[in-house]
Amino acid sequence: MPVGDVLADVNRNDRSIVALVMLAHGMVHTYELSIPIFVALWLHEYTVIDLGLTSIPVTTASLGLMVGLGFALFGLGALPGGVLVDRVGSKRLIVGCLLGMAGSFVLLAAAPNLVVVALALVLWGAAASVYHPAGLRLISTGVEARGTGFAYHGIAGNLGIGFGPFLTALLLLFFDWHVVAGVLAVPALVAAAFATRADFEEQAAVAAADGGDERGEHDETTGDKAGTGVSSLGEFVSQSKHLFAGGFALVFALVMFSGLYYRGVTTFLPDLLGSVIGIEPVPISSVLPAALVPGSDSATATPTLDVELYVYAGLLTIGVLGQYVGGKLTDRIRTERGLVVGFGALALVAVAFLPIASLGVGPLLAICALLGFFLFMVQPFYQATVAEYTPAGLRGLSYGFTYLGVFGVGALGGAIAGYVLAVADSTALFTVLAGFAAAATLLGVTLLRRRPTPA
């Protein structure tokens, strides 16, 4: 269905903005989740990382550290990206993000060694890091149907998360990874061309809320009008103190626990699903005609489908429904209440996951569906909550801090999960995850009790 038809329930300016952020958000997560697929190939293709004066053996640790540089920038760059978007606007940064991601995958396609691969991933992380503060600021200040905008934005991200890696894996059955990386660069170039031609008013929602005054929204935590971003280190410090002096400090703590849960559960879940399902990989020859199967006419081994990866992709795709429901509900209920319900459900899912999954494939798929639904349902709620606890002129800075918490601090969730699995077992891991969700639930309850009812 065309994007214009999907967005028929919002006005023209809203449609233009939401179409752009849906496209860009889908691109960001397509690239994010395609990188781990390439990692498995690099482990077998390369033996050393040649640094010139010395070389480092390729292991999961060294390659993980190398790839981690790009993912670290993806989170850490959100804060300076948030500062920058308040100064130059969202559209410019989104165009730059798309061009940067396309360029990084062109470089990846041409990479002769792992050093250039690392440079390409660092470029990707730096380019992708500015998207979330830019895109979410654009929705919060430009889209009047804010909850609907967050919902469609999240859906597009989940489509990238679910279908991007799936399509990448399929392409790798037939083409070398260099070729696949080059092909993946094309959609971002097309999206950048679309973004440069997009026509909309970035402050439309703020102007409508303030009766035409585009200076900013009312800051419910202080009663002050929003500013226009920060232009110096001193102003950055003072405006950051201004943000954290109110309820945003609790929101920031909540999104950190959300990030820890998200990265902690997604990092090792494919391996855990494989051990729970307990079935062998399926040969490609059983699902494709012989003429289409690589190696079917030679002595090489026939590729196989790892079923747990497709269950994992399905779990992520279910998040589309969660994003939609969560986004729609932000327009109908207090966002704090949605956070309490969502994170409370995630805590229960973590506790029940292994006992239910061990009952068989049917129960496993059911608990995976619940995990995927609630894991992404909470995102529109905390995105909208950030908008309600921050002034419009500092919205980019606030979303920069938000995604520093989600992807920066949250990145520790993978390390914590790996450590727990190394010293204990999967039961301990899901207990820790339940603790993260419980902490976020308590923070949501605190916000719900402290926030005054809007006039």
Side-chain angles (χ1 to χ4, degrees):
M1 181 180 295
V3 173
D5 294 340
V6 173
L7 304 178
D9 56 337
V10 295
N11 63 44
R12 188 203 65 80
N13 195 72
D14 284 10
R15 286 197 299 271
S16 297
I17 290 175
V18 175
L20 172 60
V21 296
M22 285 178 70
L23 187 61
H25 196 205
M27 291 290 97
V28 167
H29 288 297
T30 291
Y31 294 128
E32 178 198 4
L33 272 298
S34 70
I35 291 172
I37 296 177
F38 289 124
V39 169
L41 301 178
W42 297 334
L43 276 169
H44 293 92
E45 181 169 335
Y46 297 98
T47 57
V48 297
I49 303 175
D50 188 358
L51 300 178
L53 297 178
T54 186
S55 61
I56 302 173
V58 171
T59 64
T60 54
S62 62
L63 200 56
L65 178 62
M66 184 195 80
V67 174
L69 293 174
F71 282 123
L73 280 180
F74 182 39
L76 297 176
L79 181 55
V83 173
L84 188 59
V85 71
D86 283 328
R87 303 300 304 173
V88 305
S90 294
K91 181 177 177 179
R92 292 179 181 177
L93 282 192
I94 291 174
V95 172
C97 166
L98 292 167
L99 290 175
M101 292 193 301
S104 69
F105 268 68
V106 169
L107 180 60
L108 187 62
N113 53 55
L114 284 179
V115 172
V116 180
V117 167
L119 291 175
L121 296 182
V122 167
L123 174 60
W124 174 82
S129 68
V130 303
Y131 172 72
H132 282 94
L136 294 173
R137 176 189 184 273
L138 183 56
I139 295 173
S140 69
T141 62
V143 177
E144 293 183 34
R146 179 186 290 166
T148 298
F150 281 131
Y152 288 129
H153 175 264
I155 287 171
N158 275 89
L159 289 175
I161 288 171
F163 294 127
F166 176 75
L167 293 175
T168 301
L170 288 182
L171 287 172
L172 286 169
L173 290 174
F174 305 100
F175 303 104
D176 177 77
W177 70 264
H178 293 86
V179 175
V180 175
V183 171
L184 289 176
V186 175
L189 288 173
V190 174
F194 170 80
T196 59
R197 298 174 61 86
D199 181 24
F200 49 78
E201 172 54 53
E202 292 196 17
Q203 298 291 322
V206 175
D210 289 353
D213 180 2
E214 296 189 10
R215 289 176 297 169
E217 289 182 339
H218 187 70
D219 179 2
E220 295 179 353
T221 63
T222 65
D224 297 329
K225 287 284 184 182
T228 55
V230 297
S231 56
S232 67
L233 178 60
E235 192 175 359
F236 168 77
V237 173
S238 64
Q239 296 287 25
S240 298
K241 289 180 179 178
H242 173 74
L243 282 178
F244 283 91
F248 180 72
L250 291 174
V251 177
F252 181 73
L254 183 148
V255 300
M256 284 196 300
F257 282 111
S258 178
L260 290 169
Y261 189 105
Y262 173 84
R263 196 62 72 185
V265 75
T266 57
T267 300
F268 293 99
L269 190 57
D271 288 335
L272 292 174
L273 287 174
S275 63
V276 170
I277 295 174
I279 58 177
E280 296 295 326
V282 176
I284 286 289
S285 57
S286 66
V287 294
L288 285 179
L292 298 179
V293 177
S296 59
D297 56 351
S298 67
T300 58
T302 301
T304 59
L305 294 175
D306 294 318
V307 177
E308 66 271 16
L309 297 182
Y310 294 91
V311 173
Y312 180 64
L315 178 155
L316 297 176
T317 305
I318 288 291
V320 171
L321 179 60
Q323 289 274 10
Y324 181 82
V325 172
K328 283 295 187 180
L329 286 176
T330 62
D331 287 331
R332 293 167 171 80
I333 66 173
R334 291 182 61 173
T335 59
E336 299 92 340
R337 184 169 289 112
L339 291 172
V340 171
V341 172
F343 283 109
L346 284 174
L348 293 176
V349 168
V351 171
F353 190 90
L354 289 177
I356 292 178
S358 64
L359 297 177
V361 173
L364 168 66
L365 296 177
I367 195 67
C368 282
L370 288 174
L371 175 60
F373 179 87
F374 287 108
L375 186 63
F376 292 98
M377 190 199 81
V378 298
Q379 292 185 5
F381 279 111
Y382 70 63
Q383 291 163 356
T385 301
V386 170
E388 293 177 1
Y389 280 81
T390 59
L394 296 178
R395 197 60 52 72
L397 178 63
S398 64
Y399 281 120
F401 274 116
T402 296
Y403 281 89
L404 172 65
V406 173
F407 291 132
V409 178
L412 294 174
I416 293 171
Y419 176 77
V420 171
L421 288 172
V423 301
D425 55 20
S426 56
T427 300
L429 170 60
F430 279 95
T431 301
V432 171
L433 294 174
F436 292 153
T441 303
L442 291 176
L443 288 167
V445 170
T446 303
L447 286 168
L448 186 60
R449 290 178 174 176
R450 289 184 53 176
R451 181 186 171 195
T453 302

